[in-house]
Amino acid sequence: MTGKTARLIFWVGTLTSAAIFLWQTYDFHMQTPRLTHTDKLTEQVVAGKKVWHKYNCNDCHTILGFGGYYAPDMTKAFYRLGENNIASIVQHPDVMYKNSFRKMPQLGVSETETRQLVSFLRWVGDIENRHWPPQDEKFVQAYRLRESQPEKLDKVHLVLQACGGCHTFENQGRNVGGDLTTIANRIPYDRQTLINYMINPQSVRPGVAMPPQDVSPQTAAIIADFILSLKSTKEVNK
Amino acid sequence: MLIEYQSQRVSLWYFRLALVLFILQVIMGLWLSINYAFTLPQDLVNVFPFSTAREIHTNVLVAWMLLGFMGGTYYILPPECGRDLYSPKIAYAQLVIFVAAAVTAVIGFLFGWTRGKPLLEIPFPLNGLIVVAALLFIANVAMTIIQSKQKSALQWMLLGGVTFLAVMYLFGMPFYKNLNTDYYYWWWVIHLWVEGAWEVVTASIVAYIIMRVTGVDRKVVEKWLYVETGLFLFTGIVGTGHHYYWIGAPDYWIWWGGIFSALEPLPIVLMVVDTWMHVRERRNPIVNPLTWYYIIGLAIYHLVGAGLWGFMHTLPPINYYTHGSQITVSHGHLAFFGAYALLNLTIFYFAMPRLKGINKYQDRLGKWGFWITTIGMFVLGLVFGIAGILQTYLERFLDIGYSTAHLTMMFWFRVAFGVGLVFLAGVVITVYHLFTIKPSSIPAPEPVVTPASNI
Ligand code: HEM
Ligand code: HEM
Ligand SMILES: [Fe+2]
């Protein structure tokens, strides 16, 4: 090979790749509004992104798979946890992770900032990113189904979607507030009290740590039936 | 005299500071592994969270890498240009600004002063200082080259590489409202650095060192340099797409990113081949075997950490499961260490003895350092890799939940901590050896061709 050929390889290689890349960058900007729903990218979402940066969440949690790998990915966190759970975790990590083997720091995020963060995460969850991460896809599906037709949804999925952020069932979900089967066998409530409890825990048991759940009365009813059914199975078994 | 120009001396302070930061970086790495290995008390986590330690670990890493590149450039430029640096004063001023910004940044992190953007956390005012330092550096390099009577391809490649590096940094600085656009340009910094600009700088510096120590003809070395950098940039630029699979980018990235990035190991293979050929065809005898360990170690480790480990998870169907997991960490460590930590150590072992007027140095301790760090990091990479395979298999493939998957990690990070301690010992030995390097009592073999005949 002559020196001239070598130089040619350098220039042709570099310039073709750069040209393709720049064209793709142009196209990326053209398509981003569709793929990330920029019409829903409100001031509130941007404020949430600033909160996300301010507390350096991204150096423990990945988002879109980037960042620190110490804590769960946040891309679909809105679907996995829901608004209330996110708020409780962000504001009281010491309580939420009391029994966890990994701790989240108390960051001092304010009430307003928490709302902004939730809006940001809700918007991020809608980015059309080919269903990544794989493990959270079930939560996205469950959320979408729950929104449209609660009756037809596989009950376990529904319950875990709503309660799995703090309760476990058959080893699924996060154990902060106890296992649902254990709870079912402990509680003395009837169906309606249980529904009230979910929607506003303080109304039934003042002082309890569980936050109010953002579920419709119909969904709450399905969950209540499910939990009460766990109780009866146990008794029958005995 | 072993150095031809007085102004080459400015590089010594770059190297010394880089080595000190290297130790600090590794200590932070150990602290990170403790965070994984044990349950820490909430009160400690509140004041010194993982996130803060991680930004120190990674920013200090980047800082010492850049110090090594800049020092290395200042060291090789005068003999390559046949004249002193344009201005040693600028070189020192730039060093002071850069280090002041880096130190302030680390202290700021401890108090929560951060941009909260992974790997690029340095707040805006300090970024301003870094830009000033970079501009001074590039101006100094450019003026030295422009005013020199000797022109070479290597000079221009080096200048091109550092300019490319500096320009890419700018894309990480604005605030982007849209998260996907934010990460799109984040990779212009991270990816186009490690798989673009830094490769160009590496190829140029390695070409220079090999030419110097082997006495191989300049024409041959520069031909390889053109082909390698050409292939690096051809595959690496469009290869950026291997980070755009899951960020909400158009579908064709799956193909363009997958195919181009799968070709990225090719130029690295070429680098191994040409290093090997130049060693075999060397015209000068080997004076310092340890410098050679580093040159060859760099070539092979670069291929393993970046080429092999990178290739393993670059194809979309695999990356879907491995993306953002401990497998990424495994690759990040082996690649950064294999390509850039070893490049810097190669530069230090080439330049530091000469700066002290030593031709042949005592290398017994340094050899221990070499073997402990290289093997230590390889084992560390394997441990991260095992943790990563378990994580992806349990969490993403079997889908049995985050907690269960991550509980297994406590064990593997205890192992990582142990291995990390050994690695740290190797780093301390290496740094100590470089700081106290002494002439060997064994006479050095006479060179056959003088370096000047290459120019
Ligand atoms: C005792 C040695 C070391 C240990 C135990 C260690 C440990 C760690 C840990 C636990 C992380 C965080 C991963 C996460 O976010 O979950 C990390 C990140 C990182 N470390 Fe180290 N480290 C060590 C040395 C090094 C060295 C020598 C280098 C480079 C030459 C390096 C480069 C990096 C990089 C680039 C990251 C970011 C990785 C990414 O974003 O994927 N580390 N390290
Ligand atoms: C010396 C060169 C290289 C260095 C220093 C390097 C370093 C890194 C680092 C630190 C990351 C993690 C970034 C983050 O998310 O925080 C990364 C990611 C990645 N690298 Fe490299 N890399 C190099 C070369 C390569 C090559 C040649 C390939 C492909 C053949 C490659 C493939 C990848 C892929 C696919 C990812 C994304 C992993 C994921 O999806 O999480 N890398 N690299
Ligand atoms: Fe990359």
Side-chain angles (χ1 to χ4, degrees):
Chain A
M1 190 191 303
T2 62
K4 222 173 156 183
T5 326
R7 269 201 301 279
L8 196 70
I9 290 179
F10 173 80
W11 284 111
V12 172
T14 307
L15 293 178
T16 26
S17 202
I20 298 170
F21 190 58
L22 288 177
W23 182 83
Q24 287 172 327
T25 299
Y26 168 78
D27 187 62
F28 170 82
H29 281 289
M30 292 294 104
Q31 304 217 31
T32 279
R34 176 175 63 82
L35 293 166
T36 65
H37 308 281
T38 43
D39 50 321
K40 293 190 201 141
L41 185 59
T42 58
E43 283 310 306
Q44 172 90 349
V45 173
V46 176
K49 184 169 185 282
K50 289 188 176 151
V51 178
W52 170 257
H53 290 311
K54 176 177 167 192
Y55 295 101
N56 201 12
C57 313
N58 211 171
D59 259 319
C60 284
H61 293 275
T62 46
I63 194 160
L64 297 174
F66 310 127
Y69 313 111
Y70 190 62
D73 187 83
M74 288 289 113
T75 315
K76 309 287 178 187
F78 181 80
Y79 293 115
R80 187 172 68 231
L81 300 164
E83 171 156 8
N84 290 330
N85 283 322
I86 294 177
S88 326
I89 292 172
V90 167
Q91 299 197 329
H92 309 287
D94 49 333
V95 181
M96 298 298 283
Y97 295 117
K98 205 168 91 198
N99 300 319
S100 165
F101 59 100
R102 264 185 225 162
K103 304 289 180 203
M104 168 163 162
Q106 268 177 305
L107 298 159
V109 185
S110 74
E111 189 71 42
T112 330
E113 286 176 331
T114 306
R115 295 292 145 224
Q116 292 165 339
L117 257 180
V118 170
S119 315
F120 170 63
L121 291 175
R122 164 175 237 150
W123 172 81
V124 171
D126 275 342
I127 294 178
E128 313 273 351
N129 74 335
R130 279 185 214 96
H131 311 293
W132 194 92
Q135 72 273 19
D136 284 349
E137 200 42 29
K138 59 182 180 292
F139 297 115
V140 180
Q141 304 285 332
Y143 187 93
R144 296 258 152 82
L145 268 170
R146 182 157 67 106
E147 269 183 336
S148 54
Q149 34 185 191
E151 336 69 62
K152 284 192 193 155
L153 181 61
D154 172 8
K155 276 190 192 153
V156 179
H157 262 185
L158 177 124
V159 172
L160 278 172
Q161 161 58 30
C163 320
C166 293
H167 295 285
T168 46
F169 174 66
E170 292 179 344
N171 294 326
Q172 284 186 288
R174 189 205 324 274
N175 195 350
V176 176
D179 185 75
L180 289 179
T181 316
T182 321
I183 291 171
N185 285 295
R186 192 178 64 214
I187 49 171
Y189 313 131
D190 62 11
R191 186 169 183 269
Q192 190 53 46
T193 320
L194 195 51
I195 294 172
N196 296 344
Y197 188 104
M198 274 178 244
I199 293 167
N200 183 5
Q202 304 293 334
S203 71
V204 180
R205 226 180 107 194
V208 68
M210 174 164 149
Q213 299 303 303
D214 183 22
V215 286
S216 65
Q218 296 95 304
T219 314
I222 298 174
I223 298 174
D225 287 338
F226 177 84
I227 292 179
L228 294 173
S229 76
L230 295 176
K231 188 198 228 44
S232 55
T233 342
K234 258 266 159 69
E235 277 165 3
V236 170
N237 280 349
K238 272 180 199 159
Chain B
M1 259 329 265
L2 279 155
I3 55 168
E4 291 113 295
Y5 297 91
Q6 273 307 312
S7 55
Q8 285 178 281
R9 292 199 174 280
V10 297
S11 61
L12 192 55
W13 277 104
Y14 282 80
F15 300 155
R16 285 181 177 152
L17 288 165
L19 285 167
V20 173
L21 292 182
F22 185 17
I23 294 183
L24 175 66
Q25 184 229 339
V26 174
I27 291 174
M28 269 306 147
L30 281 174
W31 176 247
L32 291 175
S33 65
I34 291 179
N35 276 259
Y36 270 102
F38 304 99
T39 298
L40 300 182
Q42 181 77 40
D43 295 329
L44 177 61
V45 172
N46 289 345
V47 290
F48 188 48
F50 179 88
S51 46
T52 304
R54 190 182 194 267
E55 57 189 345
I56 297 176
H57 182 59
T58 50
N59 279 270
V60 171
L61 162 69
V62 174
W64 81 264
M65 296 277 138
L66 294 178
L67 283 174
F69 295 167
M70 293 189 293
T73 305
Y74 280 146
Y75 181 86
I76 71 177
L77 214 50
E80 185 63 19
C81 293
R83 52 156 292 161
D84 266 307
L85 287 181
Y86 173 71
S87 162
K89 278 210 192 80
I90 292 185
Y92 280 122
Q94 172 225 327
L95 177 66
V96 171
I97 297 173
F98 186 87
V99 172
V103 171
T104 317
V106 169
I107 296 170
F109 290 159
L110 293 173
F111 295 95
W113 193 36
T114 172
R115 279 175 76 217
K117 186 165 163 160
L119 309 185
L120 304 176
E121 292 93 342
I122 297 183
F124 201 76
L126 296 179
N127 263 338
L129 286 182
I130 288 177
V131 170
V132 171
L135 285 175
L136 289 176
F137 172 68
I138 288 169
N140 208 359
V141 172
M143 288 309 287
T144 310
I145 293 176
I146 290 168
Q147 294 192 349
S148 88
K149 291 192 193 72
Q150 294 167 19
K151 300 289 178 201
S152 75
L154 210 154
Q155 294 165 358
W156 293 102
M157 201 57 94
L158 197 53
L159 178 62
V162 295
T163 311
F164 182 24
L165 191 165
V167 170
M168 286 304 121
Y169 189 68
L170 300 176
F171 287 95
M173 284 171 54
F175 173 78
Y176 298 93
K177 286 184 178 175
N178 189 325
L179 186 75
N180 104 320
T181 314
D182 197 349
Y183 272 113
Y184 188 86
Y185 288 109
W186 188 77
W187 286 110
W188 283 39
V189 189
I190 310 304
H191 171 98
L192 288 177
W193 266 9
V194 299
E195 289 152 74
W198 291 23
E199 293 283 16
V200 175
V201 174
T202 305
S204 314
I205 294 180
V206 168
Y208 175 84
I209 294 179
I210 285 187
M211 199 167 70
R212 275 286 154 141
V213 291
T214 59
V216 168
D217 199 36
R218 170 178 289 272
K219 278 212 194 77
V220 179
V221 171
E222 287 191 341
K223 226 182 325 190
W224 281 98
L225 179 61
Y226 268 122
V227 175
E228 282 162 9
T229 46
L231 278 180
F232 269 127
L233 295 172
F234 177 69
T235 58
I237 295 176
V238 176
T240 315
H242 65 174
H243 303 292
Y244 297 158
Y245 302 150
W246 326 113
I247 71 167
D251 284 336
Y252 52 74
W253 279 114
I254 292 275
W255 292 98
W256 289 92
I259 292 169
F260 275 70
S261 69
L263 295 173
E264 281 182 39
L266 272 183
I268 313 179
V269 171
L270 277 189
M271 270 181 114
V272 175
V273 172
D274 96 285
T275 307
W276 185 242
M277 286 192 16
H278 295 334
V279 175
R280 279 196 12 196
E281 287 158 22
R282 67 177 181 272
R283 294 195 275 163
N284 281 334
I286 290 176
V287 178
N288 287 303
L290 183 55
T291 308
W292 279 101
Y293 281 26
Y294 273 100
I295 295 172
I296 294 168
L298 161 65
I300 296 171
Y301 222 125
H302 190 173
L303 182 62
V304 173
L308 196 62
W309 250 251
F311 181 78
M312 283 193 313
H313 61 163
T314 202
L315 296 175
I318 296 170
N319 193 260
Y320 182 66
Y321 291 105
T322 64
H323 177 49
S325 71
Q326 296 298 329
I327 291 178
T328 313
V329 177
S330 174
H331 159 68
H333 281 83
L334 291 180
F336 252 104
F337 180 80
Y340 300 122
L342 286 185
L343 169 70
N344 275 332
L345 291 169
T346 306
I347 300 174
F348 303 161
Y349 269 107
F350 175 71
M352 285 175 91
R354 285 157 205 258
L355 285 164
K356 291 194 182 166
I358 299 170
N359 180 25
K360 183 169 172 61
Y361 56 84
Q362 283 180 18
D363 62 5
R364 215 173 60 89
L365 203 57
K367 278 186 180 158
W368 279 101
F370 174 84
W371 288 114
I372 297 176
T373 46
T374 48
I375 296 174
M377 183 47 83
F378 189 68
V379 176
L380 198 60
L382 289 182
V383 173
F384 289 149
I386 295 171
I389 291 170
L390 277 174
Q391 177 195 359
T392 47
Y393 185 67
L394 297 175
E395 188 182 0
R396 295 174 179 173
F397 212 79
L398 295 185
D399 202 5
I400 61 168
Y402 176 84
S403 305
T404 325
H406 281 250
L407 213 50
T408 60
M409 239 170 248
M410 287 182 109
F411 171 74
W412 290 103
F413 275 81
R414 283 176 199 173
V415 178
F417 175 69
V419 179
L421 274 180
V422 177
F423 178 77
L424 174 65
V427 172
V428 172
I429 291 173
T430 304
V431 173
Y432 175 80
H433 182 243
L434 277 166
F435 269 99
T436 60
I437 204 145
K438 289 184 198 65
S440 165
S441 49
I442 307 161
E446 287 299 315
V448 180
V449 288
T450 50
S453 70
N454 277 309
I455 296 171

